[in-house]
Amino acid sequence: GHLNKSGDIHCSPLSGLSVGNSGQYVYTVDSPSILSAEQRKSYEENGFLVIKRLVPEHRLQMYRNRFGEVCRGEVKVPGMTVMKDVAIAKSEFVEGERAITKLQDFQQDEVLFDYCCLPEVVQYVESFL
């Protein structure tokens, strides 16, 4: 698991989890799993799940702000790739963060990687292979 002796969540970009699967589902685990049978079936069929209001709005705003700082070049993160869609980036109508389609290798950024360590996110991630 991801808990240390004090009960705090410890998160690292290279953590591993040993899991089991009964064979009914390919991409989700039987235990531990927070997913309902309906959610597991939906994920198997669609490849994604939407869990509304999982992350508090104040945290989402914090991640949006950091994304903007990265896109504007105010924050440089070693090893992180900021990807632009060439067609969007060359458009005269799109500026700044609207031209960015992806941040890759953001694990060295404390603010952005914080999302990956949120207990409410980790409990769902542990349900997938």
Side-chain angles (χ1 to χ4, degrees):
H2 299 283
L3 296 178
N4 62 24
K5 291 179 184 177
S6 69
D8 296 329
I9 289 189
H10 171 73
C11 198
S12 67
L14 300 175
S15 65
L17 180 66
S18 178
V19 296
N21 186 308
S22 66
Q24 181 180 2
Y25 299 103
V26 177
Y27 303 109
T28 59
V29 298
D30 296 332
S31 180
S33 182
I34 193 171
L35 303 177
S36 69
E38 183 179 323
Q39 288 173 317
R40 291 180 78 180
K41 184 176 185 291
S42 176
Y43 185 80
E44 296 286 331
E45 292 172 357
N46 302 305
F48 68 91
L49 274 181
V50 175
I51 310 295
K52 293 181 179 182
R53 292 180 277 289
L54 179 66
V55 178
E57 183 59 38
H58 73 278
R59 286 203 178 264
L60 292 175
Q61 191 57 51
M62 179 178 70
Y63 305 134
R64 283 185 202 109
N65 292 344
R66 183 55 150 216
F67 180 77
E69 292 170 351
V70 169
C71 293
R72 291 186 300 274
E74 297 168 11
V75 173
K76 302 282 187 201
V77 179
M80 183 167 62
T81 303
V82 179
M83 301 181 79
K84 296 179 181 181
D85 180 307
V86 177
I88 293 173
K90 290 183 178 181
S91 169
E92 63 183 283
F93 303 108
V94 179
E95 298 179 5
E97 64 191 68
R98 293 184 56 189
I100 306 299
T101 56
K102 182 178 181 182
L103 296 181
Q104 186 172 307
D105 301 320
F106 60 88
Q107 66 271 15
Q108 297 302 319
D109 184 273
E110 286 183 18
V111 176
L112 294 176
F113 193 70
D114 176 74
Y115 174 83
C116 299
C117 300
L118 292 175
E120 55 267 49
V121 171
V122 171
Q123 70 181 350
Y124 278 93
V125 171
E126 289 180 335
S127 297
F128 299 95
L129 296 178

